[in-house]
Protein backbone atom coordinates (compact mmCIF):
# COMPACT_ATOMS: atom_id res chain seq x y z
CA UNK A 1 0.00 0.00 0.00
CA UNK A 2 2.66 2.53 1.05
CA UNK A 3 4.90 1.51 -1.85
CA UNK A 4 2.12 2.30 -4.33
CA UNK A 5 1.47 5.65 -2.66
CA UNK A 6 5.17 6.53 -2.72
CA UNK A 7 5.37 5.59 -6.41
CA UNK A 8 2.28 7.68 -7.22
CA UNK A 9 3.75 10.69 -5.40
CA UNK A 10 7.06 10.26 -7.20
CA UNK A 11 5.25 10.11 -10.54
CA UNK A 12 3.28 13.24 -9.70
CA UNK A 13 6.46 15.11 -8.77
CA UNK A 14 8.14 13.90 -11.96
CA UNK A 15 5.17 15.15 -14.03
CA UNK A 16 5.28 18.52 -12.25
CA UNK A 17 8.99 18.84 -12.87
CA UNK A 18 8.75 17.76 -16.52
CA UNK A 19 5.94 20.21 -17.31
CA UNK A 20 7.40 22.97 -15.16
CA UNK A 21 3.96 23.39 -13.56
CA UNK A 22 4.16 25.13 -10.20
CA UNK A 23 1.46 27.03 -8.37
CA UNK A 24 3.86 29.92 -7.94
CA UNK A 25 4.23 30.15 -11.76
CA UNK A 26 0.55 30.95 -12.26
CA UNK A 27 -0.33 34.64 -12.53
CA UNK A 28 -2.35 36.17 -9.71
CA UNK A 29 -5.86 36.89 -10.92
CA UNK A 30 -7.78 40.05 -10.07
CA UNK A 31 -11.55 40.11 -9.44
CA UNK A 32 -13.56 40.83 -12.62
CA UNK A 33 -16.04 43.00 -10.69
CA UNK A 34 -15.82 45.58 -7.93
CA UNK A 35 -16.65 44.34 -4.42
CA UNK A 36 -18.99 43.16 -3.15
CA UNK A 37 -19.24 40.26 -5.59
CA UNK A 38 -22.30 38.02 -5.31
CA UNK A 39 -21.87 34.51 -6.67
CA UNK A 40 -25.34 33.21 -7.48
CA UNK A 41 -24.58 30.08 -9.50
CA UNK A 42 -21.43 27.97 -9.14
CA UNK A 43 -19.58 25.93 -11.74
CA UNK A 44 -21.02 22.46 -12.30
CA UNK A 45 -18.81 19.94 -14.09
CA UNK A 46 -20.64 18.06 -16.85
CA UNK A 47 -20.30 14.26 -17.06
CA UNK A 48 -18.96 14.53 -20.60
CA UNK A 49 -18.20 17.14 -23.26
CA UNK A 50 -21.76 16.80 -24.51
CA UNK A 51 -23.79 16.55 -21.29
CA UNK A 52 -25.50 19.23 -19.24
CA UNK A 53 -23.48 21.27 -16.79
CA UNK A 54 -22.67 24.86 -15.96
CA UNK A 55 -19.30 25.65 -17.52
CA UNK A 56 -18.62 28.83 -15.57
CA UNK A 57 -19.91 30.86 -12.65
CA UNK A 58 -22.61 33.53 -12.51
CA UNK A 59 -22.41 36.78 -10.56
CA UNK A 60 -25.36 39.00 -9.76
CA UNK A 61 -24.83 42.31 -11.58
CA UNK A 62 -26.55 45.44 -12.85
CA UNK A 63 -26.58 46.88 -16.37
CA UNK A 64 -23.62 49.17 -16.85
CA UNK A 65 -21.54 47.55 -14.09
CA UNK A 66 -17.83 47.68 -15.03
CA UNK A 67 -15.90 44.51 -15.87
CA UNK A 68 -12.15 44.26 -15.28
CA UNK A 69 -9.61 41.89 -16.77
CA UNK A 70 -8.71 39.23 -14.22
CA UNK A 71 -5.24 38.68 -15.73
CA UNK A 72 -2.87 40.00 -18.40
CA UNK A 73 -4.43 38.92 -21.69
CA UNK A 74 -5.44 39.83 -25.23
CA UNK A 75 -8.97 40.72 -26.28
CA UNK A 76 -9.99 37.76 -28.44
CA UNK A 77 -13.64 38.44 -29.24
CA UNK A 78 -15.88 41.45 -28.64
CA UNK A 79 -19.13 41.08 -30.57
CA UNK A 80 -22.73 39.96 -30.52
CA UNK A 81 -22.87 36.17 -30.60
CA UNK A 82 -26.32 35.04 -31.74
CA UNK A 83 -28.42 37.04 -29.25
CA UNK A 84 -26.02 38.34 -26.60
CA UNK A 85 -22.88 40.44 -26.39
CA UNK A 86 -19.80 38.33 -25.60
CA UNK A 87 -16.35 39.45 -24.50
CA UNK A 88 -13.55 36.90 -24.48
CA UNK A 89 -9.90 37.11 -23.56
CA UNK A 90 -6.91 34.89 -24.26
CA UNK A 91 -4.21 34.60 -21.62
CA UNK A 92 -0.51 34.31 -22.39
CA UNK A 93 -0.76 30.56 -21.69
CA UNK A 94 -3.61 30.16 -24.19
CA UNK A 95 -6.50 29.92 -21.75
CA UNK A 96 -9.82 31.44 -22.84
CA UNK A 97 -11.85 33.65 -20.49
CA UNK A 98 -15.40 34.63 -21.42
CA UNK A 99 -17.97 37.08 -20.08
CA UNK A 100 -21.60 37.39 -21.18
CA UNK A 101 -23.62 39.54 -21.53
CA UNK A 102 -20.72 41.95 -21.74
CA UNK A 103 -19.97 44.89 -24.02
CA UNK A 104 -16.25 45.39 -24.43
CA UNK A 105 -14.59 48.78 -24.74
CA UNK A 106 -11.49 47.57 -26.60
CA UNK A 107 -10.94 45.99 -30.03
CA UNK A 108 -9.94 42.38 -30.63
CA UNK A 109 -6.17 42.00 -30.60
CA UNK A 110 -5.61 44.65 -27.90
CA UNK A 111 -3.22 43.65 -25.10
CA UNK A 112 -4.62 44.33 -21.62
CA UNK A 113 -3.29 44.20 -18.08
CA UNK A 114 -4.77 42.52 -15.03
CA UNK A 115 -7.25 44.86 -13.35
CA UNK A 116 -7.77 46.98 -16.49
CA UNK A 117 -11.31 48.11 -17.30
CA UNK A 118 -12.37 46.09 -20.36
CA UNK A 119 -16.13 46.55 -20.61
CA UNK A 120 -19.44 46.57 -18.81
CA UNK A 121 -22.50 44.45 -18.30
CA UNK A 122 -24.98 45.29 -21.04
CA UNK A 123 -28.38 44.07 -22.16
CA UNK A 124 -28.77 41.13 -24.50
CA UNK A 125 -31.42 40.98 -27.20
CA UNK A 126 -35.04 40.52 -26.20
CA UNK A 127 -34.87 36.94 -27.53
CA UNK A 128 -32.04 35.98 -25.17
CA UNK A 129 -33.20 33.61 -22.44
CA UNK A 130 -31.01 34.37 -19.47
CA UNK A 131 -30.24 31.34 -17.36
CA UNK A 132 -30.33 33.25 -14.06
CA UNK A 133 -34.12 33.41 -13.79
CA UNK A 134 -35.38 36.79 -12.67
CA UNK A 135 -32.11 38.59 -11.92
CA UNK A 136 -29.35 39.86 -14.21
CA UNK A 137 -26.17 37.84 -14.00
CA UNK A 138 -22.74 37.91 -15.62
CA UNK A 139 -21.51 34.52 -16.81
CA UNK A 140 -17.73 34.13 -16.28
CA UNK A 141 -16.02 31.04 -17.72
CA UNK A 142 -12.51 29.63 -18.12
CA UNK A 143 -11.49 27.15 -20.82
CA UNK A 144 -8.08 25.53 -20.78
CA UNK A 145 -6.44 23.11 -23.20
CA UNK A 146 -7.95 20.35 -21.04
CA UNK A 147 -11.51 21.73 -21.10
CA UNK A 148 -13.54 24.00 -18.88
CA UNK A 149 -12.64 24.76 -15.26
CA UNK A 150 -14.27 26.95 -12.68
CA UNK A 151 -12.57 30.35 -12.97
CA UNK A 152 -12.55 30.44 -9.17
CA UNK A 153 -9.70 27.90 -9.29
CA UNK A 154 -7.40 30.73 -10.48
CA UNK A 155 -8.06 32.66 -7.28
CA UNK A 156 -6.77 29.88 -5.06
CA UNK A 157 -10.25 29.18 -3.70
CA UNK A 158 -10.33 25.71 -5.24
CA UNK A 159 -7.64 23.14 -5.85
CA UNK A 160 -8.32 21.08 -8.97
CA UNK A 161 -8.25 17.34 -8.46
CA UNK A 162 -5.43 15.42 -10.07
CA UNK A 163 -6.01 11.73 -10.69
CA UNK A 164 -2.95 9.60 -10.21
CA UNK A 165 -2.52 6.17 -11.80
CA UNK A 166 -3.87 3.23 -9.86
CA UNK A 167 -1.13 0.76 -9.08
Amino acid sequence: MFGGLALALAMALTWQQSTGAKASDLPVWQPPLEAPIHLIRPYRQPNSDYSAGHRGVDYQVQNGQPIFSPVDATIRFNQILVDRPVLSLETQSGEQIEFEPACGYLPAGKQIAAGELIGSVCPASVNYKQHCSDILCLHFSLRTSHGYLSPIVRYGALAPSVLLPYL
Side-chain angles (χ1 to χ4, degrees):
M1 172 72 178
F2 289 111
L5 180 60
L7 180 60
L9 286 172
M11 290 174 69
L13 290 173
T14 302
W15 172 82
Q16 184 179 20
Q17 291 169 352
S18 68
T19 62
K22 288 189 257 176
S24 62
D25 290 343
L26 295 174
V28 176
W29 279 33
Q30 306 295 315
L33 301 168
E34 294 175 331
I37 299 174
H38 301 286
L39 177 68
I40 56 173
R41 190 168 175 207
Y43 177 85
R44 196 179 70 158
Q45 178 70 41
N47 292 332
S48 74
D49 289 344
Y50 306 104
S51 63
H54 188 236
R55 293 166 174 87
V57 297
D58 294 331
Y59 295 122
Q60 183 176 354
V61 291
Q62 297 176 0
N63 273 324
Q65 189 167 344
I67 301 170
F68 303 93
S69 178
V71 66
D72 293 348
T74 302
I75 303 287
R76 183 170 182 259
F77 186 85
N78 179 17
Q79 297 181 35
I80 301 290
L81 184 62
V82 182
D83 56 2
R84 66 203 173 279
V86 174
L87 174 60
S88 72
L89 314 175
E90 185 170 347
T91 68
Q92 294 168 348
S93 64
E95 295 178 335
Q96 306 294 315
I97 301 165
E98 185 177 288
F99 298 100
E100 66 176 73
C103 292
Y105 298 152
L106 305 168
K110 175 84 170 139
Q111 297 282 325
I112 51 173
E116 186 174 337
L117 179 64
I118 56 173
S120 63
V121 176
C122 58
S125 80
V126 293
N127 298 325
Y128 177 61
K129 183 179 182 332
Q130 180 160 290
H131 59 267
C132 292
S133 305
D134 58 349
I135 58 174
L136 180 60
C137 65
L138 178 69
H139 182 77
F140 174 31
S141 67
L142 168 64
R143 187 173 44 160
T144 71
S145 60
H146 302 292
Y148 284 91
L149 288 178
S150 172
I152 295 174
V153 76
R154 294 295 185 250
Y155 294 94
L158 300 173
S161 299
V162 176
L163 296 177
L164 299 174
Y166 178 76
L167 300 172

